[in-house]
Amino acid sequence: MTVYIDPPTWPGHGRLWSHLVSDVSYEELHAFAEELGVPARAFERDHYDIPSHRYGDVVAAGAVEVSSREVVRLLHGSGLRRRKGPGGGPGGTDAPAQPRNS
């Protein structure tokens, strides 16, 4: 099991946040988060939002530290990226967003 986390650089609600992702499956990601006691409400479309004070715990549990750009690349490469809006809306399903026809 390999999951990835970016640095806590994303501001929100008076805190800085990281994104925890998998490049294999949502099941793998959910299992890892559950082992750490990360609440389900922290899952947003294709990642978990992790507050900066939990970053060290997540890395100690085995998450690989990567850049924010690498998180996006991993999600796109695995087909697990869900965009906001139609096809990948907030809190969407476990199915990846469908590609648009050009």
Side-chain angles (χ1 to χ4, degrees):
M1 175 184 298
T2 302
V3 295
Y4 303 88
I5 189 166
D6 65 359
T9 57
W10 302 95
H13 308 286
R15 298 180 178 186
L16 292 176
W17 301 83
S18 294
H19 300 118
L20 179 68
V21 303
S22 169
D23 65 346
V24 173
S25 69
Y26 295 115
E27 292 79 16
E28 174 184 63
L29 180 59
H30 294 315
F32 186 87
E34 186 176 336
E35 284 180 29
L36 287 171
V38 176
R41 70 179 179 274
F43 183 72
E44 185 177 345
R45 292 184 315 275
D46 55 14
H47 67 276
Y48 280 89
D49 290 324
I50 304 295
S52 59
H53 71 273
R54 294 291 318 270
Y55 183 83
D57 299 336
V58 175
V59 172
V64 176
E65 298 172 276
V66 296
S67 69
S68 298
R69 184 172 288 222
E70 183 69 3
V71 161
V72 174
R73 191 195 69 73
L74 288 163
L75 286 171
H76 278 288
S78 66
L80 296 176
R81 178 72 170 131
R82 290 187 192 149
R83 303 182 72 111
K84 289 183 182 179
T93 66
D94 277 348
Q98 296 297 314
R100 287 197 231 165
N101 293 329
S102 300

